[in-house]
Every structure is written in structure tokens, then in C-alpha cells.
Amino acid sequence: QVQLVESGGGLVQPGGSLRLSCAASGSIFSIYAMGWYRQAPGKQRELVATITSGGSTNYADSVKGRFTISRDNAKNTVYLQMNSLKPEDTAVYYCNAHKVIVTTGYNYWGQGTQVTVSS
């Protein structure tokens, strides 16, 4: 099992910045990728950014140039630096870990952290 603990959410003004953190614990070996997803009320959960064990990153078009995902292997932690925040970024942000053992995949989710962008 993998446990994911998120932190860093809160209320910010448009144009502001926020950094989310996700610490993984438990059976963390064989984690292929980690990422951030978000879900606004009445909307489907959508991918925000991912990073693989090799360091490759992927971003949703809506956040490219504004958000940066990074990792600290020593701390088993993934970060999401969010700059130039817009009201449309308001959502619950969920940390995800994708684990692969041979050819079998497993997904783990954090509890979510609220990000609200408002003046």
C-alpha cells in the first residue's frame, strides 16, 4: 500500500502563487509516476501534471508555462509550483501515484487539498 499526504492548499488572489506538496510513504518502490489531478464542482477530474520516475514531465495545456511539477527523491515527495493563478484553477487537487509491478498497474490517491483563487 502507498499513502499520500498532501499539503499547501489555500486561498490566493488571482495572479498569486501556491506550492502543493505530496509525500509518499509505505510501499513506495515500483512507483512509475506521480502526478496532480484536480476536480471542480460539477466537473470531471482532470490531469494537471505528471512526472515519471525518470523525470519526464507532462502538463495539461491549460497550465503549461504557469505550473511546474518537481520531485525530491530523498523525501519521496512531489511538488506542484503554481504561478499566475487564475479563478479557473479553483478546484480540489489530488495527488496520484501510479505503481507498476511487472505489467500490473496500481493507482493511489491522496485525500485532496482545496485551492481557491479569488479576489
Side-chain angles (χ1 to χ4, degrees), residues 20-81:
L20 306 182
S21 300
C22 175
S25 62
S27 186
I28 61 174
F29 63 90
S30 298
I31 293 179
Y32 174 73
M34 296 185 68
W36 293 92
Y37 293 71
R38 66 186 182 186
Q39 187 169 23
K43 304 289 186 179
Q44 292 185 337
R45 186 176 300 183
E46 64 176 354
L47 181 147
V48 177
T50 61
I51 185 167
T52 69
S53 59
S56 298
T57 58
N58 184 51
Y59 297 91
D61 289 339
S62 60
V63 306
K64 285 182 179 178
R66 300 188 298 120
F67 292 8
T68 302
I69 189 170
S70 61
R71 66 211 294 249
D72 185 335
N73 291 332
K75 297 182 178 180
N76 298 314
T77 300
V78 171
Y79 305 94
L80 184 67
Q81 180 65 47

Side-chain angles (χ1 to χ4, degrees), residues 7-13 17-20 82 85 90-91 93 113-118:
S7 62
L11 173 65
V12 296
Q13 294 183 343
S17 298
L18 206 61
R19 189 179 76 159
L20 306 182
M82 310 164 68
L85 283 162
T90 297
Y93 284 69
T113 184
Q114 178 70 48
V115 172
T116 301
V117 185
S118 177

Side-chain angles (χ1 to χ4, degrees), residues 1-13:
Q1 294 290 321
V2 175
Q3 292 80 46
L4 303 174
V5 179
E6 299 149 309
S7 62
L11 173 65
V12 296
Q13 294 183 343

